C-alpha cells in the first residue's frame, strides 16, 4: 500500500508515455558482444523532474523508514533512476535468476519492486526471491512494494498471458565491509 490506486495509475501513465526499449543481459564472447536469453522485458527510465518528484519523495520516505527499522544499511540514496518495467506475454517476458549488484555501477544495497498491475491482469510473471532454503514468491497485490537486499538471488518467472508492469528501484551506499 505504498501508493493509492490513483497514484499507481499516474505512475503507469508516466511510464507509458516513455519510449520502452528491449532490456536484455549481454555478455562478451570471444567474437564480440552476444545477447543472453536470461532476460526479456521492456524498460524505460523515469528521472526526477517536477512532475515525478512526488514519486521519488514518497519512495525516499518509505525506504528511509524501512531501512531504519529492518536493514540498517548505510545508504546514500537511489543508485539509478526509477526503472519502469513491462513484461509482455507475446514477447515471452521474464528475467532469470540474478542479483542486482552489477559491475560498473554504484554500490547497490537494497532492491525494490513496486507492483503496478492488478494481479489478474497477467498469468505467471511471478517475482521470486531465493532468500534461504526455499524460494519465496513476492506478493502480487497491486501497490505492494517488495524490498530485499540487492545481493539476494531473485527472478521473474516467464509470463504466460497478459502484461505485468512494475517500478524497479535500487538504493546505494558505500561498499559493504
Amino acid at each position: 500500500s505504498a501508493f493509492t490506486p490513483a497514484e499507481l495509475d499516474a505512475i503507469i501513465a508516466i511510464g507509458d508515455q516513455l519510449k520502452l526499449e528491449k532490456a536484455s543481459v549481454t555478455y562478451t564472447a570471444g567474437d564480440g558482444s552476444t545477447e543472453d536469453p536470461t532476460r526479456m522485458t521492456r524498460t524505460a527510465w523515469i528521472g526526477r523532474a517536477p512532475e515525478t518528484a512526488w514519486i521519488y519523495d514518497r519512495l525516499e520516505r518509505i525506504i528511509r523508514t524501512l531501512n531504519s527499522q529492518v536493514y540498517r544499511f548505510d545508504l546514500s540514496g537511489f543508485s539509478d533512476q526509477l526503472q519502469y518495467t513491462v513484461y509482455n506475454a507475446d514477447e515471452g517476458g521474464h528475467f532469470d535468476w540474478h542479483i542486482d549488484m552489477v559491475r560498473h555501477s554504484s554500490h547497490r544495497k537494497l532492491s525494490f519492486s513496486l507492483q503496478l498491475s492488478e494481479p489478474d491482469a497477467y498469468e505467471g510473471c511471478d517475482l521470486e526471491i531465493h532468500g534461504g532454503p526455499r524460494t519465496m514468491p513476492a506478493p502480487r497485490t497491486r501497490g505492494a512494494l517488495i524490498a530485499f537486499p540487492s545481493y539476494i538471488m531473485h527472478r521473474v518467472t516467464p509470463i504466460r498471458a497478459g502484461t505485468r508492469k512494475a517500478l524497479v528501484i535500487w538504493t546505494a551506499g558505500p561498499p559493504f565491509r
Side-chain angles (χ1 to χ4, degrees):
S1 302
F3 293 86
T4 68
E7 290 169 333
L8 296 171
D9 291 341
I11 294 169
I12 291 171
I14 291 167
D16 284 349
Q17 291 176 5
L18 301 172
K19 181 180 182 208
L20 292 169
E21 296 184 359
K22 182 179 177 184
S24 62
V25 176
T26 59
Y27 64 94
T28 303
D31 59 348
S33 186
T34 306
E35 190 172 306
D36 182 342
T38 301
R39 182 180 193 190
M40 179 52 233
T41 186
R42 302 267 171 192
T43 62
W45 299 96
I46 299 176
R48 185 186 280 270
E51 62 274 9
T52 61
W54 64 275
I55 304 169
Y56 278 84
D57 292 344
R58 175 85 51 84
L59 288 168
E60 285 170 349
R61 283 193 307 273
I62 293 168
I63 290 166
R64 195 175 312 116
T65 300
L66 176 70
N67 185 55
S68 70
Q69 293 175 353
V70 179
Y71 296 105
R72 298 183 183 191
F73 289 164
D74 185 3
L75 299 178
S76 56
F78 295 112
S79 68
D80 303 271
Q81 295 178 337
L82 308 179
Q83 185 184 80
Y84 182 67
T85 306
V86 179
Y87 294 91
N88 291 305
D90 61 354
E91 295 178 324
H94 69 281
F95 197 166
D96 209 352
W97 291 110
H98 66 285
I99 61 172
D100 289 339
M101 296 178 78
V102 295
R103 197 179 309 174
H104 307 299
S105 74
S106 57
H107 300 284
R108 290 179 178 170
K109 292 191 168 182
L110 288 175
S111 298
F112 300 84
S113 180
L114 175 62
Q115 176 70 12
L116 298 174
S117 298
E118 291 287 354
D120 60 356
Y122 61 95
E123 294 176 17
C125 211
D126 293 310
L127 172 60
E128 295 181 339
I129 301 166
H130 189 69
R134 63 185 179 91
T135 300
M136 300 171 286
R140 292 171 57 114
T141 308
R142 185 172 194 232
L145 181 64
I146 296 94
F148 53 93
S150 298
Y151 54 77
I152 298 290
M153 292 286 290
H154 59 287
R155 72 175 176 179
V156 176
T157 62
I159 189 167
R160 296 186 304 271
T163 299
R164 176 178 179 242
K165 297 178 180 182
L167 195 64
V168 180
I169 305 106
W170 301 278
T171 59
F176 286 113
R177 296 191 228 177

